Amino acid sequence: MTVLVGYVPSPEGEAALRAGIDEARRRGEKLLVVNTSRADATVDPGFAQEPDLDHVREDLGALGIDFDLRQMLGGGDPAEELLHLAGGADVSLVVIGLRRRSPVGKLLLGSTAQRILLGAGCPVLAVKAAVGA
């Protein structure tokens, strides 16, 4: 089985990665870290640059975690990409980071996290970054 982490280079993405590491260790499962973006960093702040990905590889390697890191570029909607991967037979848990938003922000903007929470066929762990992170 596999724990799937939706990773973006942000405090929320780091919180999701840390929670995913904890869950993978606790469950004795592999970790699949996915960064998905519709475009490059000039368009999408969720696009992980090579230094971000190197940081993830180094951290997971140093911790001795069995992992796979994938970056899906120019694809479809990030929520759909993660839901597609989560639909695989061996994903036991999806871990995502949540951004803090105002009530108006929640009303006006679509939520990738909400779509993953509602659409995933497996449990989803949603975490927030520490305040001030």
Side-chain angles (χ1 to χ4, degrees):
M1 298 298 284
T2 301
V3 173
L4 170 64
V5 174
Y7 176 76
V8 293
S10 68
E12 295 81 12
E14 292 297 322
L17 182 60
R18 299 293 162 223
I21 290 168
D22 291 345
E23 284 296 322
R25 282 184 159 169
R26 187 175 68 77
R27 296 165 181 252
E29 296 180 1
K30 183 175 182 173
L31 189 66
L32 173 58
V33 180
V34 177
N35 175 248
T36 180
S37 174
R38 292 181 184 163
D40 64 19
T42 60
V43 178
D44 184 356
F47 175 82
Q49 301 288 318
E50 198 56 40
D52 301 314
L53 300 176
D54 287 344
H55 150 73
V56 171
R57 287 185 195 100
E58 290 169 9
D59 282 359
L60 296 175
L63 293 170
I65 302 289
D66 182 16
F67 74 96
D68 185 16
L69 176 60
R70 296 184 197 171
Q71 188 172 46
M72 304 166 76
L73 303 176
D77 177 70
E80 292 301 321
E81 296 282 350
L82 288 179
L83 288 171
H84 175 73
L85 289 171
D90 70 335
V91 173
S92 65
L93 177 72
V94 175
V95 183
I96 57 173
L98 296 178
R99 289 185 294 154
R100 296 179 192 283
R101 285 187 171 176
S102 69
V104 173
K106 291 177 190 170
L107 181 66
L108 296 177
L109 300 174
S111 171
T112 299
Q114 182 179 25
R115 291 180 32 226
I116 293 169
L117 286 165
L118 296 175
C122 64
V124 177
L125 175 61
V127 298
K128 291 183 178 179
V131 175

